[in-house]
Amino acid sequence: MAITKVGVLGCGLMGSGIAQVCAQAGHQTVVLEVDQKLLDKGLASIDKFLRGGVERGKLTAAERERTLGNLKGTTRLEDLADRDLIIEAVVENRDAKIEIFRKLDTICPPQTIFASNTSSLCITELAAATRRPARFLGLHFFNPVPLMKLVEVARTILTEETAFEDALAFVGTLQKTAIRTSDKTGFIVNRLLVPYILDAVRALEEGVGSIRDIDEAMKLGCGYPMGPLTLLDLVGLDTTYHIANVFFDEFRERRFACPALLRRMVLAGFHGRKSGKGFYDYGGATPVPNDFLVGGAR
Ligand SMILES: NC(=O)c1ccc[n+]([C@@H]2O[C@H](COP(=O)([O-])OP(=O)(O)OC[C@H]3O[C@@H](n4cnc5c(N)ncnc54)[C@H](O)[C@@H]3O)[C@@H](O)[C@H]2O)c1
């Protein structure tokens, strides 16, 4: 089945990027938000990204127009009734995801493929909450979606071959690389990445190095494009906190446990770049490390 009509649930950090790349690839895309204000905010971020692309010569004004022409925002679930593929990118909360999939299950025809962009939740559990577990899979995009080339396509033991192959082919239409994986917590990338960024917080707590030095060490010593604490600020501390809790529930290993400092920063509203402060403060022209977070290693 060729996928041409796409629905995206949530127009936040990930949903807006996913909706943008789908529309940019020529798919008729409808993106859903909970209310008009959040929808306008998400659509404005897409428009800003596309405008910036035109200014930098990355795309033409005509391509921008075409992309916006392929994109429609809505707050009504019913507007997703005729979609070939639904990609869910709402908050990382099991109950919220199950609730919206259950509702859509009664609205979309049985052939519509349901996909979740979850970073940590069990795809099998989401699939089993619907009447279409054979046409349910994981499509895990990376942040920022328009720039990151990888999509992990995750099948469960219930996913039928045709749905899996259709999803892999769809990712190809987005000019992205699909890798095949299965419904194991974290898939490939987060299974390896999450313990690494949590260990960076533990290293900071234990006084191994300062915020700046831990980031510089991994950039210059390993050739990574950014340090782990800068990456954590980008992903969002709240999102990472939820992910760590889900991983720890699954594996019961210390390397997946949320460090005390991370939990306290989330409770204090330090959610990273999106809240203006995390391991760094983003109030000025350049990010400044929040060295007061730990007692030693300044
Ligand atoms: N942030 C990342 O780097 C990243 C990377 C890969 C995957 N993910 C996954 O993507 C998903 C979304 O994460 P995010 O960072 O974009 O979160 P976000 O908080 O930026 O966006 C979530 C959006 O979903 C909307 N929403 C909530 N309930 C809704 C509903 N019932 N209907 C429509 N919209 C609804 C919210 O209003 C919000 O705008 C999560 O499952 C997360 O694990 C995140």
Side-chain angles (χ1 to χ4, degrees), residues 14 88-93 97 116-123 126 138-143 152 183-191 193-194 235 239-240 242-244 246-247 251:
M14 296 302 290
E88 171 275 315
V90 306
V91 281
E92 186 71 341
N93 176 292
K97 289 186 194 287
S116 175
N117 183 50
T118 181
S119 297
S120 62
L121 300 175
C122 177
I123 306 285
L126 303 178
L139 271 184
H140 189 229
F141 291 79
F142 289 80
N143 179 27
E152 293 178 305
D183 179 30
K184 304 282 180 338
T185 301
F187 312 128
I188 297 173
V189 173
N190 280 339
R191 173 76 170 256
L193 180 67
V194 169
V235 172
T239 305
T240 307
H242 288 300
I243 292 173
V246 174
F247 272 60
F251 299 113

Side-chain angles (χ1 to χ4, degrees), residues 2-9 15 18-23 25-32 70-72 74 79-88 112-113 115 139 141 170 173-174:
I3 293 166
T4 58
K5 288 182 281 184
V6 183
V8 179
L9 312 180
I18 295 168
Q20 179 187 319
V21 297
C22 291
H27 301 295
Q28 294 302 312
T29 306
V30 179
V31 59
L32 177 87
N70 290 337
L71 186 63
K72 190 178 150 229
T74 186
D79 290 341
L80 302 170
D82 64 345
R83 302 291 95 185
D84 302 318
L85 169 70
I86 298 283
I87 306 172
E88 171 275 315
T112 303
I113 297 173
L139 271 184
F141 291 79
F170 171 75
T173 68
L174 306 180

Side-chain angles (χ1 to χ4, degrees), residues 21-188:
V21 297
C22 291
Q24 229 164 337
H27 301 295
Q28 294 302 312
T29 306
V30 179
V31 59
L32 177 87
E33 254 298 344
V34 284
D35 60 38
Q36 194 62 43
K37 199 169 153 225
L38 286 166
L39 181 61
D40 289 344
K41 187 173 169 229
L43 292 175
S45 76
I46 296 174
D47 195 33
K48 187 174 169 211
F49 193 99
L50 293 172
R51 271 180 205 284
V54 174
E55 278 161 22
R56 288 193 307 277
K58 301 276 183 202
L59 78 162
T60 65
E63 283 166 335
R64 174 182 162 267
E65 287 299 317
R66 211 174 310 128
T67 300
L68 293 175
N70 290 337
L71 186 63
K72 190 178 150 229
T74 186
T75 56
R76 286 167 22 99
L77 219 52
E78 293 71 25
D79 290 341
L80 302 170
D82 64 345
R83 302 291 95 185
D84 302 318
L85 169 70
I86 298 283
I87 306 172
E88 171 275 315
V90 306
V91 281
E92 186 71 341
N93 176 292
R94 173 190 163 278
D95 294 344
K97 289 186 194 287
I98 286 181
E99 188 188 339
I100 193 161
F101 275 128
R102 280 218 173 109
K103 283 185 187 155
L104 269 179
D105 204 22
T106 63
I107 293 172
C108 297
Q111 70 270 20
T112 303
I113 297 173
F114 282 5
S116 175
N117 183 50
T118 181
S119 297
S120 62
L121 300 175
C122 177
I123 306 285
T124 309
E125 188 177 11
L126 303 178
T130 71
R131 291 171 306 181
R132 67 185 75 221
R135 297 188 71 72
F136 202 116
L137 40 81
L139 271 184
H140 189 229
F141 291 79
F142 289 80
N143 179 27
V145 180
L147 304 182
M148 298 296 278
K149 288 285 170 219
L150 183 69
V151 181
E152 293 178 305
V153 185
R155 68 187 304 172
T156 76
I157 53 174
L158 299 168
T159 310
E160 65 187 20
E161 192 63 29
T162 52
F164 191 53
E165 291 302 326
D166 287 348
L168 288 163
F170 171 75
V171 171
T173 68
L174 306 180
Q175 309 300 319
K176 297 200 182 290
T177 299
I179 54 115
R180 296 159 184 259
T181 184
S182 60
D183 179 30
K184 304 282 180 338
T185 301
F187 312 128
I188 297 173

